[in-house]
Structure formats: C-alpha cells, structure tokens
Amino acid sequence: MNKIIAAFAVALCMTAFVTAYSDNVQTDLQSNMIRLHIIANSDSDEDQAVKLKVRDAVLKETGSKIADSDEEICKDNIANNLDEVKKIADRVLEENGFDYKSYAQYGKFPFPEKSYKSMTLPAGDYYGVRIVLGEGNGHNWWCVMYPPLCFKEGKEAQLSRESEKILREKLDKDTYDIITKKDDKVVVKFKIVEFVQSIKQKMRR
C-alpha cells in the first residue's frame, strides 16, 4: 500500500511540475506575442483569395501602429484601432466585388499549433485580433501581428531580423529555443507544452 501511495505521490508531483512548466512557457508567449486570425466567408476559391488580400492590407496598413518594441503599447494600439481594421477589411471586400462585411475583435483566443519557416508555435491561448469575413464558414488563416512576421508574395512567412531580435530579448531563453530549435531535447519540451495546453483547450470546450 505504501508503494502505491508513494507512486501516486510521485505521479502527482510530476504532473504538477509538467503543468507548471507548460503554463510558464505559454504565459511567456502570451505576454510577448499578438496573433492574427482571419476566417473566410466560405471555402470557395474567391472567398479564400480575398481572405489573403485582407491579410495583406491589414498587415501593411497597421504595421506602423504596431512597430513599437513595447508589447503593451502594441496591444493598446491594436485594441484602440479595431474600427480601422474593420474598415480596411471592408474596403478590400468592396474593391473586390463582395457584398458581405467583416467584424473584428481583440481578446484571448485558442490557437492551434502553427509552423512557419523560422519557428513553430505550440497550441494554446494567445492574445490576438480575430477578423471574420461574412458568414465566417471558411478555412482560417493564422499568423503573428507582433512581432511582425515577414511576408513575401509566394514565399513562406518568416521572422524579420528585427522581429527575431525582439523575441530574443523578451522571451526566456528556454521559450525562445522551444519555438525556434529542432534538436531532440527541445522537441520533447515542445511536446510537453503542446500536450498540456491541448488538454486544457479540450477541457474548456
């Protein structure tokens, strides 16, 4: 009986340690990143194409407002300019002949695991802007507004040197390694964070 109790105590301690570690990494990411989530009206080729045009316009025209290296200032700038984000999206829709509108909101939302050329972000809750186009029944598009990812037409998104510098300075070294490196030790840590946060997302549904 004592062995069973001891084993249970060890398992409980390990669970608490793993959960605390995962939460610390996720909190670090939450505190230093702002995500972008755009949901297309439908999965038609036209609706999916205009979704990307909205993405390009929003990132280009809001870039100067979120270029500050202080993440809290960026959050305030984004939260205070949601009407402008909506106007940008609606303008792009109108210019491309669509009669539906958009709506934009800022908050903390669940995001899935997402890989980019220079980093992989684990699933979890992140602060971000969500733009829904029309009925919002199409596939999603996920990215990072702050620090901004570098986009080139037809190429995979990657961090600019300045954005990489911001993350290096703001994130704990362990967190930065987890999202940017691929060695076996880092992969195990990533899977721990991913596993715990995915369970938490499922439990909240």
Side-chain angles (χ1 to χ4, degrees):
M1 180 64 72
N2 288 337
K3 289 183 178 180
I4 294 175
I5 293 174
F8 178 77
V10 170
L12 192 63
C13 289
M14 287 293 294
T15 300
F17 173 80
V18 167
T19 301
Y21 175 78
S22 175
D23 287 346
N24 286 338
V25 171
Q26 191 62 41
T27 298
D28 195 19
L29 292 171
Q30 278 182 14
S31 300
N32 293 289
M33 303 188 86
I34 301 172
R35 306 289 298 275
L36 177 62
H37 180 198
I38 303 177
I39 307 174
N41 179 63
S42 77
D43 286 334
S44 72
D45 291 343
E46 295 80 8
D47 284 339
Q48 288 295 313
V50 81
K51 175 188 71 176
L52 299 181
K53 290 182 179 180
V54 168
R55 172 202 69 184
D56 293 342
V58 168
L59 291 176
K60 179 179 179 180
E61 296 181 38
T62 63
S64 61
K65 293 184 173 62
I66 57 174
D68 198 286
S69 60
D70 188 298
E71 191 260 355
E72 289 301 323
I73 294 177
C74 290
K75 281 184 179 180
D76 289 341
N77 287 337
I78 291 171
N80 293 331
N81 285 278
L82 283 179
D83 286 344
E84 181 177 348
V85 170
K86 174 177 167 50
K87 288 178 181 177
I88 293 169
D90 287 346
R91 187 196 72 225
V92 172
L93 292 172
E94 183 178 357
E95 288 174 350
N96 286 273
F98 295 88
D99 58 6
Y100 56 78
K101 301 292 185 180
S102 69
Y103 74 84
Q105 57 186 148
Y106 175 80
K108 188 187 289 186
F109 305 109
F111 283 76
E113 177 186 327
K114 185 66 179 176
S115 293
Y116 304 99
K117 187 173 182 180
S118 47
M119 67 178 179
T120 299
L121 298 176
D125 291 342
Y126 293 83
Y127 288 100
V129 174
R130 175 178 287 171
I131 303 173
V132 180
L133 306 180
E135 297 296 323
N137 292 324
H139 276 103
N140 306 317
W141 184 87
W142 317 81
C143 201
V144 180
M145 292 186 78
Y146 175 85
L149 284 174
C150 178
F151 285 92
K152 293 183 179 179
E153 188 175 354
K155 294 187 178 180
E156 190 176 359
Q158 63 181 359
L159 286 172
S160 65
R161 289 183 179 178
E162 184 172 344
S163 294
E164 184 178 350
K165 180 175 181 290
I166 291 173
L167 283 183
R168 280 184 179 277
E169 292 175 348
K170 289 183 172 290
L171 294 176
D172 290 341
K173 183 181 183 302
D174 196 41
T175 303
Y176 182 82
D177 287 346
I178 284 173
I179 66 173
T180 59
K181 294 185 177 179
K182 300 296 181 183
D183 62 71
D184 291 343
K185 183 178 180 181
V186 170
V187 169
V188 170
K189 290 181 178 180
F190 183 96
K191 292 300 182 184
I192 289 173
V193 175
E194 176 84 8
F195 177 72
V196 173
Q197 298 306 318
S198 294
I199 289 178
K200 286 190 169 187
Q201 283 188 352
K202 291 177 181 177
M203 291 175 64
R204 286 195 294 269
R205 291 175 184 172

